[in-house]
Amino acid sequence: MVLPADLTNVSVGKVVELRQKYGAEFETLMDEVDSVAREMQGHLAEIEDREVLAARLRQLHRTRFERPLNDLKAAMKSLKIDAATGVRNVQTKPLQSWEP
């Protein structure tokens, strides 16, 4: 997730401008996070080796999140807002069996 590095020093007007100009980009990133969480719901728990898990998470970051995160950082920089990255905790509902 991309956030202002020091939110206390960012005016409300700048936050509103950021959301108005780049709201779609934020939504796209959050949709991608939710999509990856749903796709990986059962798979990550099956990985027992910590190094393998870490490698898989790095690959997901590189292939699914790196570009949108960098785009949002650039958007914030264009508005003279210092950007910081953070994490988002995602919880998914258990998969339900589907019966036609």
Side-chain angles (χ1 to χ4, degrees):
M1 176 166 235
V2 179
L3 306 164
D6 186 7
L7 189 57
T8 59
N9 288 325
V10 178
S11 71
V12 172
K14 281 285 187 190
V15 172
V16 169
E17 183 180 5
L18 178 66
R19 290 298 292 174
Q20 287 175 338
K21 286 186 174 182
Y22 302 102
E25 288 84 349
F26 280 99
E27 292 299 319
T28 298
L29 176 61
M30 292 299 100
D31 288 346
E32 187 68 8
V33 169
D34 290 339
S35 175
V36 168
R38 281 190 305 277
E39 291 170 19
M40 299 308 300
Q41 184 176 5
H43 302 291
L44 292 178
E46 295 170 359
I47 301 174
E48 295 181 12
D49 185 315
R50 287 183 159 289
E51 289 180 29
V52 172
L53 177 60
R56 178 65 178 130
L57 293 173
R58 281 191 302 272
Q59 181 208 21
L60 283 170
H61 178 272
R62 188 176 56 256
T63 60
R64 305 282 292 268
F65 303 123
E66 194 169 274
R67 175 171 280 159
L69 286 168
N70 287 338
D71 290 347
L72 285 170
K73 287 179 189 177
M76 293 175 87
K77 187 175 180 177
S78 76
L79 297 175
K80 300 190 181 350
I81 300 172
D82 291 329
T85 52
V87 294
R88 177 181 177 204
N89 185 19
V90 178
Q91 294 182 343
T92 59
K93 294 180 181 178
L95 294 175
Q96 307 253 336
S97 60
W98 181 77
E99 295 181 24

